[in-house]
Amino acid sequence: MTKWVYTFGDGAAEGRAGDRNLLGGKGANLAEMCSLGLPVPPGFTITTEVCNAYYANGRTYPEALEADVVSALDHIGRITGRRFGDPSKLLLVSVRSGARASMPGMMDTVLNLGLNDETVEALAADSGDARFAYDSYRRFIQMYSDVVMGLDHEVFEEILEDQKASLGHELDTELTAQEWQGVISLYKAKVEEELGKPFPQDPQEQLWGAIGAVFSSWMNNRAITYRRLHDIPESWGTAVNVQAMVFGNMGDTSATGVAFTRNPSTGDRQLYGEFLVNAQGEDVVAGIRTPQNITEAARIAAGSDKPSLQKLMPDAFQAFVDISDRLEKHYRDMQDLEFTIERGKLWMLQTRSGKRTAKAALKIAVEMAKDGLITKEEAVARIDPASLDQLLHPTIDPKAARDVIGMGLPASPGAATGEIVFSSADAEDAKAQGRKVILVRIETSPEDIHGMHAAEGILTTRGGMTSHAAVVARGMGKPCVSGAGSLRVDYKAGTLISMGQTFRKGDIITIDGGNGQVLKGAVAMLQPELSGDFAAIMEWADAARRMKVRTNAETPLDARMARSFGAEGIGLCRTEHMFFDGARIVAMREMILADSEKDRRAALDKLLPMQRSDFLELFEIMAGLPVTIRLLDPPLHEFLPKTEAELAEVASAMNVSADKLRQRTEALHEFNPMLGHRGCRLAVSYPEIAEMQARAIFEAAVQAGHKAGALVVPEIMVPLVGLVKELEYVKARIDAVAQSVMQETGTKIDYLTGTMIELPRAAIRAHVIAEAAEFFSFGTNDLTQTTFGISRDDAASFLETYRQKGIIEQDPFVSLDVDGVGELVRMAAEKGRATRPAIKLGICGEHGGDPASIRFCEEVGLDYVSCSPYRVPIARLAAAQAAVAAAKSAAKRS
Ligand code: ADP
Ligand code: MG
Ligand code: MG
């Protein structure tokens, strides 16, 4: 027979902390605290399986549940010497929801359940405190009507405010018993008026009403949305906790409070919390009165003149300090605690691992490891790699004043300041002149990529967290605020309007991608650094890691940044990005628009020294670490002149007419450039381009090698290969150039030639391609596009709908589609190794910086991941966690 109900109380419990799945987080920890002998009011937990059975059977309870609840109430009765529903030995309970993970969408707790017109008299007599009894009853009516019967709590607050005003009271605690009785009559009348039925007087009816409300709340919209946002499966279900009440509102020797065993924002080792005298439940967080500090130290630091718990109730305080130490050691983690003091006696009502900032998480993990409470490996496992993002971008100095002019979504973390520009062209112009800009658009499209590159940050007034602007900005590591709906952009007028204030091109604004704020003017910033606790965790992570972490970088700035974040080489240098600047783009356009090989070679000759010096700088920055350089990849039309002025400029440089040039431009038009004349197809059509690039790479490698006195081994990557013959053709050219450069310089050159695996055909034929390729780098952006047949730039319009309708769980461009795209990766890795056991395998798509995808890369046994510079520490940590997890599961298997 299934056990539906688990009891706890009086130093014993039927459940344990490990029963989280069955009892929910709250229930499992209440049981654990009881077993530890801590003072916890007795109670019971109705399991998550009841929730699932409830929904499986058309919202009816399992048959045995009612009897189980009756006997569990008896269990509470035996411990407390009371009986639920019996005025002569009154037992009141709380009904608390509790899923596996804490979920804000769920039903709120109902306290003081079991009170009615009759039992409230008993409570008054029993406690000798009528004010307390009526205060409890009015709270109960208010909470129950709100959370169980759906009557908005504001109607009660209005009544209370009116009463307080007419009675001349300021605080709730000033009302007398009689005055509360008056409020209660008004409350009950209001319930009847609004709901057409009286407030339920039968304690059994109240109890089942509350239990039913918890289970129903599992499927309310708030909970469903929360689950979707946090990837919580519906099948988890929620548990219900029913627990004997203890009262923090029994006068001045009673109190209620919340605390963290360490400071959750800094991680400092100090008990950190607040309490209120003569209060109940959520009063502390509800902001009804200003709460007091728990410790003297915190009181002094806060400059508060209200006494601390330490001063006011030293015995209860000491008991609480002892318990919080004990709980932290027991759970081996920082705890978030709830407690109540009833007439001087301390009761624990909740413990759980406390939420903390990334900074606090690092500090706490490092200190606990240093104290030997956890191992270094556990410390590494405790940090959520994605949370490091908070620490890897410039952030607004917390001390700085903020003049907020608008609010959007925190689409990509970090803060940025710059002049407003409304177009990508303006962004590029300003950048070329060394000015910093914020690109302000209604929304962005693929055409804005270059403008986004040039900008310090991006602000859009439309679009969500997965809008083009948001996705691209995150990939670039640029701060972005998206969907700032209160701001209005008028491109024609060149204005950004916020609540009556008008901003124009050139005006300075700041965006905070961490919280979505848009601020007027420049604001003081703090630069990210990898030091202290952060550095310690990284060092421990590196010790546990198997895969290398490289970066995707082509500018010296990015390369240096990545090195400072611990990158172990470059996994992807996109050479085309080097062609957008100033004079280069003109030479590049000349090259593309040339209509003979001879003219093309002339233009390439101009580009050669530029490329060579770029590569030289990268080799020097990477100081002997591997550098993978990809040959020209994108469709040529991306470089074409867009405006008449640009066209004229190129025409004059090439000494041809603008008309002729325009024709040539039109000839390069493609219907579907993503699948068009790009990648190695360019090198096959125009081998001289690949030859120039290979020469630049080899000459730079020789120079860098001479300077450093050590060999530089470049890795040349041929993009978009589907046929081994494509690779062989291009490789033959590369090899020939290598031979000539060796002869010319009299220096031996070591290099690798390999390919990106970014087409399904390449994955399928990987064993053959590996005959010509010395390495594979999985270009999972394109591989995802080509496997799904979805263009990333167009995906935003339907992928969100797919997510909402449950057709996909995650955006495959953010987290690798392990079942599909991942299967191709796995297959290609295996086939590649079968042909060439020592083949180097890496990943250079956006997924290289995504922790879940990194886990997959570890499973497949890739040699490295490569990601954008800002994600390098995230990847280092995620790779370490993946290695530890893989070792664990291997140990389990053997
Ligand atoms: P949440 O999950 O929102 O924190 P809880 O179930 O923990 O909800 O309860 C809300 C408040 O009520 C907390 O302050 C808690 O300490 C208090 N509370 C819950 N059960 C009891 C009880 N049996 N006696 C006294 N206070 C309680
Ligand atoms: Mg709680
Ligand atoms: Mg690609």
Side-chain angles (χ1 to χ4, degrees):
M1 238 179 49
T2 320
K3 185 168 168 57
W4 302 114
V5 172
Y6 285 66
T7 60
F8 56 84
D10 207 16
E14 292 178 320
R16 294 178 305 110
D19 294 329
R20 208 186 166 84
N21 295 359
L22 188 64
L23 303 180
K26 203 176 282 168
N29 287 333
L30 284 169
E32 186 83 4
M33 284 199 291
C34 271
S35 303
L36 289 172
L38 302 185
V40 176
F44 58 89
T45 304
I46 303 174
T47 69
T48 55
E49 283 177 357
V50 173
C51 183
N52 290 330
Y54 175 77
Y55 283 105
N57 298 315
R59 302 206 180 211
T60 56
Y61 297 120
E63 235 188 69
L65 183 67
E66 207 177 311
D68 288 353
V69 166
V70 168
S71 71
L73 281 169
D74 285 346
H75 159 87
I76 303 180
R78 271 193 302 280
I79 295 172
T80 56
R82 300 173 173 279
R83 270 176 73 85
F84 186 65
D86 181 348
S88 67
K89 295 183 267 179
L90 188 62
L91 170 65
L92 301 180
V93 296
S94 65
V95 176
R96 321 170 66 183
S97 65
R100 250 191 247 188
S102 93
M103 269 183 54
M106 299 299 297
M107 184 199 89
D108 293 324
T109 294
V110 177
L111 303 177
N112 311 329
L113 189 137
L115 280 176
N116 56 31
D117 295 350
E118 188 190 354
T119 54
V120 69
E121 306 291 343
L123 184 63
D126 199 23
S127 64
D129 186 346
R131 187 213 60 84
F132 150 73
Y134 291 107
D135 176 47
S136 301
Y137 190 24
R138 67 91 191 178
R139 286 171 186 271
F140 173 54
I141 296 174
Q142 205 169 323
M143 276 185 271
Y144 192 91
S145 305
D146 179 4
V147 304
V148 180
M149 309 198 326
L151 187 55
D152 199 66
H153 61 97
E154 270 166 29
V155 303
F156 298 109
E157 268 147 39
E158 259 165 45
I159 295 174
L160 181 54
E161 286 312 309
D162 282 354
Q163 285 298 301
K164 282 199 314 204
S166 68
L167 294 165
H169 292 317
E170 229 176 90
L171 298 174
D172 292 4
T173 42
E174 291 163 10
L175 271 77
T176 65
Q178 226 182 356
E179 286 165 350
W180 279 125
Q181 270 178 300
V183 172
I184 288 166
S185 309
L186 293 171
Y187 276 10
K188 286 195 303 189
K190 188 75 187 176
V191 170
E192 194 149 3
E193 176 197 324
E194 294 279 335
L195 302 175
K197 56 182 178 195
F199 185 80
Q201 292 287 312
D202 176 9
Q204 289 296 334
E205 182 189 340
Q206 294 172 356
L207 179 63
W208 286 99
I211 293 171
V214 174
F215 286 135
S216 307
S217 72
W218 183 248
M219 292 305 261
N220 73 22
N221 286 336
R222 269 201 309 165
I224 290 171
T225 307
Y226 186 86
R227 281 201 290 276
R228 186 168 60 76
L229 289 173
H230 294 84
D231 291 321
I232 295 175
E234 196 180 295
S235 64
W236 282 8
T238 183
V240 181
N241 301 289
V242 178
Q243 188 177 26
M245 281 303 300
V246 289
F247 299 99
N249 56 338
M250 266 196 193
D252 288 342
T253 53
S254 301
T256 184
V258 295
F260 290 89
T261 56
R262 303 190 185 208
N263 185 317
S265 63
T266 62
D268 286 342
R269 193 188 311 209
Q270 59 202 190
L271 189 64
Y272 178 92
E274 296 177 326
F275 76 104
L276 275 177
V277 175
N278 197 9
Q280 194 175 43
E282 309 277 37
D283 288 1
V284 176
V285 282
I288 299 172
R289 279 182 276 155
T290 310
Q292 295 157 244
N293 294 105
I294 289 186
T295 63
E296 255 317 87
R299 182 194 68 78
I300 293 164
S304 160
D305 57 4
K306 293 191 164 177
S308 64
L309 187 68
Q310 190 168 8
K311 252 292 166 33
L312 212 56
M313 304 181 189
D315 293 342
F317 170 77
Q318 197 48 52
F320 182 64
V321 170
D322 294 344
I323 287 174
S324 56
D325 281 350
R326 191 153 161 219
L327 284 171
E328 191 180 274
K329 292 215 171 73
H330 181 72
Y331 284 98
R332 302 159 68 244
D333 196 6
M334 185 259 260
Q335 296 294 297
D336 170 353
L337 308 168
E338 288 174 7
F339 65 94
T340 281
I341 296 166
E342 179 182 304
R343 292 188 167 156
K345 167 146 178 63
L346 173 71
W347 293 95
M348 295 304 298
L349 290 166
Q350 191 168 340
T351 189
R352 60 181 158 193
S353 281
K355 290 223 160 54
R356 61 204 85 178
T357 62
K359 184 179 153 159
L362 288 169
K363 176 160 193 139
I364 291 169
V366 169
E367 282 189 357
M368 287 190 168
K370 285 187 174 159
D371 288 348
L373 195 57
I374 57 176
T375 63
K376 286 180 180 174
E377 214 168 69
E378 281 172 308
V380 166
R382 289 255 173 109
I383 311 295
D384 172 13
S387 75
L388 297 181
D389 223 14
Q390 294 172 24
L391 306 174
L392 291 170
H393 296 276
T395 46
I396 292 182
D397 186 340
K399 291 187 215 102
R402 290 167 179 246
D403 183 355
V404 179
I405 56 168
M407 193 68 199
L409 299 169
S412 178
T417 295
E419 297 172 23
I420 295 175
V421 292
F422 294 106
S423 76
S424 287
D426 285 349
E428 290 189 272
D429 288 351
K431 164 95 185 202
Q433 294 164 24
R435 297 189 345 249
K436 292 185 185 321
V437 298
I438 304 289
L439 178 62
V440 180
R441 303 279 303 164
I442 294 173
E443 52 197 346
T444 62
S445 70
E447 277 114 70
D448 292 315
I449 302 267
H450 304 144
M452 293 173 76
H453 249 295
E456 303 301 307
I458 296 102
L459 167 63
T460 66
T461 56
R462 224 185 264 159
M465 295 290 286
T466 55
S467 63
H468 177 268
V471 171
V472 175
R474 282 197 293 273
M476 291 178 178
K478 296 238 164 160
C480 174
V481 171
S482 68
S486 67
L487 297 176
R488 244 190 32 248
V489 168
D490 186 336
Y491 291 136
K492 266 220 190 94
T495 53
L496 171 71
I497 298 173
S498 149
M499 300 171 286
Q501 284 190 81
T502 301
F503 298 87
R504 292 173 203 288
K505 184 177 159 190
D507 290 347
I508 304 275
I509 55 168
T510 297
I511 58 168
D512 185 342
N515 68 4
Q517 286 180 349
V518 183
L519 311 160
K520 186 172 172 174
V523 187
M525 303 267 184
L526 299 178
Q527 290 306 314
E529 34 178 346
L530 220 161
S531 61
D533 301 320
F534 198 165
I537 287 283
M538 282 296 126
E539 196 182 298
W540 299 345
D542 288 349
R545 175 158 67 85
R546 181 191 63 81
M547 286 190 294
K548 298 271 184 204
V549 175
R550 300 195 196 177
T551 191
N552 299 348
E554 38 278 328
T555 66
L557 192 73
D558 279 357
R560 277 200 197 93
M561 168 102 66
R563 282 280 281 143
S564 77
F565 286 152
E568 298 164 296
I570 290 180
L572 176 63
C573 166
R574 290 156 290 205
T575 47
E576 58 272 13
H577 284 242
M578 300 167 151
F579 290 126
F580 281 111
D581 290 351
R584 297 174 173 207
I585 187 75
V586 178
M588 183 67 183
R589 285 171 179 159
E590 281 182 60
M591 190 277 285
I592 294 166
L593 293 168
D595 52 9
S596 70
E597 187 185 324
K598 182 171 141 280
D599 288 351
R600 200 157 29 246
R601 283 197 187 274
L604 283 166
D605 284 344
K606 292 189 200 168
L607 290 170
L608 175 69
M610 302 172 186
Q611 285 253 286
R612 190 173 48 221
S613 69
D614 287 341
F615 296 143
L616 180 61
E617 202 170 352
L618 286 183
F619 289 143
E620 282 174 356
I621 293 167
M622 285 296 149
L625 295 170
V627 175
T628 304
I629 296 167
R630 180 178 72 185
L631 300 181
L632 194 65
D633 180 43
L636 295 181
H637 78 99
E638 278 193 16
F639 301 96
L640 290 180
K642 305 231 158 51
T643 62
E644 281 300 315
E646 285 172 356
L647 198 81
E649 188 182 10
V650 180
S652 89
M654 290 175 75
N655 217 357
V656 297
S657 75
D659 269 349
K660 179 153 178 247
L661 208 57
R662 199 171 298 111
Q663 278 166 23
R664 178 86 183 118
T665 307
E666 276 154 20
L668 282 168
H669 170 81
E670 289 183 306
F671 290 104
N672 192 347
M674 186 192 78
L675 299 176
H677 198 179
R678 57 168 289 210
C680 66
R681 297 159 200 170
L682 293 171
V684 171
S685 308
Y686 312 117
E688 53 278 11
I689 301 178
E691 284 169 11
M692 180 281 283
Q693 293 200 295
R695 174 167 285 276
I697 293 169
F698 292 133
E699 289 178 355
V702 168
Q703 277 182 34
H706 283 324
K707 275 195 183 170
L711 211 60
V712 170
V713 185
E715 301 179 359
I716 300 180
M717 180 149 79
V718 183
L720 216 74
V721 164
L723 303 156
V724 69
K725 286 206 170 151
E726 291 172 320
L727 179 59
E728 283 167 354
Y729 178 86
V730 182
K731 186 174 186 304
R733 301 298 174 126
I734 294 170
D735 290 342
V737 174
Q739 286 304 323
S740 352
V741 176
M742 282 196 253
Q743 254 163 31
E744 291 157 25
T745 60
T747 309
K748 183 172 162 358
I749 302 173
D750 260 349
Y751 63 98
L752 301 179
T753 309
T755 180
M756 272 177 113
I757 302 289
E758 51 189 338
L759 295 175
R761 191 181 197 284
I764 292 165
R765 301 293 292 166
H767 53 299
V768 180
I769 292 176
E771 280 165 15
E774 289 161 301
F775 65 85
F776 286 167
S777 177
F778 292 97
T780 46
N781 295 347
D782 268 321
L783 190 58
T784 300
Q785 299 203 88
T786 53
T787 301
F788 275 91
I790 290 177
S791 129
R792 175 159 68 154
D793 295 334
D794 301 315
S797 60
F798 55 87
L799 274 192
E800 189 45 33
T801 313
Y802 269 45
R803 257 177 68 107
Q804 275 163 15
K805 299 197 170 173
I807 291 172
I808 57 163
E809 269 175 20
Q810 269 163 328
D811 182 339
F813 293 105
V814 175
S815 201
L816 191 75
D817 159 46
V818 168
D819 300 336
V821 179
E823 203 48 42
L824 285 173
V825 171
R826 187 192 300 275
M827 180 178 80
E830 281 165 10
K831 285 179 173 227
R833 279 202 203 97
T835 300
R836 189 188 287 270
I839 192 166
K840 252 199 210 188
L841 301 173
I843 182 174
C844 63
E846 212 81 332
H847 306 96
D850 168 62
S853 311
I854 291 172
R855 214 174 307 133
F856 172 78
C857 295
E858 172 68 36
E859 276 168 34
V860 184
L862 300 193
D863 297 303
Y864 68 87
V865 298
S866 188
C867 57
S868 61
Y870 278 113
R871 295 199 78 85
V872 166
I874 297 172
R876 283 164 71 193
L877 181 59
Q881 292 179 351
V884 171
K888 275 210 185 107
S889 67
K892 225 185 243 164
R893 259 180 273 123
S894 67

